[in-house]
Amino acid sequence: MLQKREKEFLASKEFIREPVDNEINDIMESTNKIIILTGGTGVGKTTILQSLEQKGLGCKEQTIYDCPDGIVKMAREPNERYASDVFDYFYELKFALNILLYIKENYPIVFEKNFQKEFELVLQLLK
C-alpha cells in the first residue's frame, strides 16, 4: 500500500516517469514467471514497484506493493520470544490486514460489500 508521501512523489514534477514506465513495460511484457529487481539503495526498486502497483489498478494482473512491519522483519526466524506457530500466525494476519487495507483504499465498494467482516475479524485477532 502506498503511503501518502509516495503517492505525492509519483504525482510530482520531480518524478521522471519515462524511465520508470520503460521498466514497468518490460516487466509487464515479460514471459518470465519470476522477476527480481536488484541494485543498491536509492536506485529505484521501490519506485518501480509502487508505480507498477498504481498502473495495475483495475487490471487483471494486479500488483500489490507491501513492506512488512519492523517487528515482522526482526523476527524472521523463531526464537525464544516468537515460537514458530506464533510467528507464522502473526505474519499471516499482518499480511491479510495489508491486503484488506489495499482493497479498502483502492476498491471501497467491493471492500464494503465483501470484506468488511473479515477486516474487523483480522483487527480483532491482531489485538
Side-chain angles (χ1 to χ4, degrees):
M1 278 56 54
L2 287 177
Q3 300 294 328
K4 185 176 181 181
R5 61 187 170 91
E6 284 91 3
K7 283 184 180 178
E8 290 171 357
F9 172 68
L10 294 177
S12 72
K13 294 178 189 177
E14 291 81 20
F15 178 61
I16 303 172
R17 176 154 302 283
E18 291 77 16
V20 173
D21 284 346
N22 289 339
E23 293 299 321
I24 290 172
N25 290 337
D26 287 347
I27 292 170
M28 294 179 82
E29 292 171 4
S30 174
T31 58
N32 295 327
K33 292 184 179 186
I34 298 174
I35 297 172
I36 300 172
L37 298 180
T38 64
T41 303
V43 298
K45 297 180 301 287
T46 301
T47 301
I48 296 290
L49 293 171
Q50 291 171 341
S51 296
L52 187 59
E53 176 184 84
Q54 288 297 302
K55 192 169 187 171
L57 288 173
C59 294
K60 185 177 179 182
E61 296 291 326
Q62 188 79 41
T63 300
I64 300 174
Y65 174 79
D66 184 37
C67 186
D69 291 341
I71 191 164
V72 174
K73 287 181 184 178
M74 290 174 18
R76 290 180 187 206
E77 295 182 20
N79 56 34
E80 65 278 352
R81 185 170 181 175
Y82 294 103
S84 179
D85 292 344
V86 172
F87 172 76
D88 292 344
Y89 182 73
F90 178 74
Y91 186 82
E92 289 173 8
L93 282 174
K94 292 294 287 183
F95 188 68
L97 178 65
N98 288 344
I99 291 173
L100 289 166
L101 287 170
Y102 176 86
I103 295 168
K104 183 178 181 179
E105 180 180 327
N106 294 292
Y107 304 99
I109 296 171
V110 172
F111 176 83
E112 288 179 24
K113 184 176 180 183
N114 299 304
F115 296 104
Q116 185 67 45
K117 289 180 184 177
E118 287 80 3
F119 180 71
E120 292 169 10
L121 175 62
V122 169
L123 287 177
Q124 186 64 32
L125 291 170
L126 280 168
K127 287 181 183 178

